[in-house]
Amino acid sequence: LSSQLRAMAAPEPQLAGVLGAAVDQIDVDEKVVIVRTLRVHVNVGMLDLYRNDVRRLGLAVPCAHNKGDTRVFVGTAFAPEAMKFFGPPPDGADAEAYLQECYKILNSQKSVVDYVNSCDDRKNDPKKKWVFGTREKELGDFNELLLEFKEACPIFFDEETGAPFYQEQNFAAAFIDCIRRRNPELKCKTHIQKLCKKRRLLRKADAVVKAARRADAVAAATVLVARGRVV
């Protein structure tokens, strides 16, 4: 985090907003078995989907004057969503400076994890700190399971864009129920990891086979065209 944000949020930033609520729920669920393990995955996933959506609002704000100039976020659609994600700025803080820092943090999942670990008393308590590698893997497995959820419950996805309606009130519950019903063998986090790894490998192998078939088809068509020209 920049020295500017640290100065604004004396003595240290406090988790709030959607981010704070998600962190609290994920921390609790992380300690229990499969239902809560799946809830960790879906909350990590929904939080990242929201992060991306808020960041896109920031990207949509035009630069102040010329390309490369700083964007001004106060008064834009980005401002209320950023404050919803992180919570309002500390008392006395400059709103624009706060939004600029929020925009930087929203750049990646790792930036958000680093911010979480800088808040409250987490930076002084290793047991409370999030490990980016863990959250990154959970997000990857969530995205893998999301493919199955989309196939089984298309009602939770936009017909045109395929984007999930993750802000629907019962999205998380429906996701967990669907994955458990379709995969009753899942009993712990290790089972989720193995299932998702297997599916990723199978999909990658299938993509290689399809690519090879397309290449063969192009080669065969090329040969036919060449023969036609010879004739």
Side-chain angles (χ1 to χ4, degrees):
L1 296 177
S2 70
S3 57
Q4 188 177 35
L5 182 59
R6 292 183 183 281
M8 287 192 297
E12 57 194 14
Q14 302 292 310
L15 285 172
V18 171
L19 176 61
V23 168
D24 288 344
Q25 187 63 61
I26 290 168
D27 282 348
V28 170
D29 290 340
E30 205 167 28
K31 299 177 176 64
V32 197
V33 288
I34 190 62
V35 173
R36 289 196 170 179
T37 299
L38 282 169
R39 190 178 296 150
V40 167
H41 285 72
V42 74
N43 279 327
V44 167
M46 292 193 301
L47 182 63
D48 199 69
L49 287 167
Y50 189 31
R51 175 191 68 79
N52 269 315
D53 282 349
V54 179
R55 181 172 179 271
R56 287 192 194 99
L57 290 174
L59 283 170
V61 175
C63 294
H65 298 290
N66 302 310
K67 185 176 180 181
D69 286 350
T70 302
R71 295 176 170 87
V72 177
F73 295 122
V74 169
T76 68
F78 172 78
E81 289 301 322
M83 291 187 187
K84 182 179 177 183
F85 188 93
F86 289 100
D91 292 339
D94 179 78
E96 183 60 36
Y98 179 76
L99 291 170
Q100 292 289 340
E101 198 61 37
C102 289
Y103 181 69
K104 292 177 184 177
I105 298 169
L106 290 166
N107 186 58
S108 68
Q109 185 194 29
K110 186 178 187 306
S111 296
V112 172
V113 170
D114 289 342
Y115 174 75
V116 168
N117 288 335
S118 76
C119 292
D120 306 330
D121 59 347
R122 289 172 179 269
K123 61 184 178 183
N124 300 317
D125 188 348
K127 292 182 180 179
K128 291 185 178 182
K129 283 192 173 183
W130 277 10
V131 178
F132 169 65
T134 299
R135 296 292 173 244
E136 183 181 37
K137 290 176 182 176
E138 288 165 349
L139 178 58
D141 289 346
F142 165 78
N143 288 331
E144 187 64 39
L145 296 173
L146 194 65
L147 297 174
E148 180 177 7
F149 184 49
K150 183 177 181 180
E151 179 183 345
C153 303
I155 191 174
F156 286 98
F157 296 80
D158 187 279
E159 290 185 9
E160 294 183 2
T161 66
F165 297 132
Y166 66 92
Q167 296 201 47
E168 290 285 336
Q169 187 174 4
N170 58 340
F171 179 90
F175 177 93
I176 294 169
D177 180 67
C178 172
I179 299 304
R180 289 191 70 204
R181 281 189 294 102
R182 292 168 64 93
N183 304 278
E185 73 280 6
L186 297 180
K187 303 298 180 184
C188 63
K189 188 172 185 176
T190 301
H191 293 169
I192 296 173
Q193 293 171 336
K194 288 181 177 179
L195 174 67
C196 292
K197 181 179 180 180
K198 179 181 178 181
R199 289 182 177 178
R200 279 190 288 269
L201 290 173
L202 287 173
R203 193 170 61 258
K204 184 177 180 179
D206 184 56
V208 170
V209 171
K210 289 180 178 179
R213 288 175 179 171
R214 285 195 297 270
D216 289 344
V218 170
T222 302
V223 170
L224 289 174
V225 170
R227 288 177 178 174
R229 287 178 179 172
V230 171
V231 173

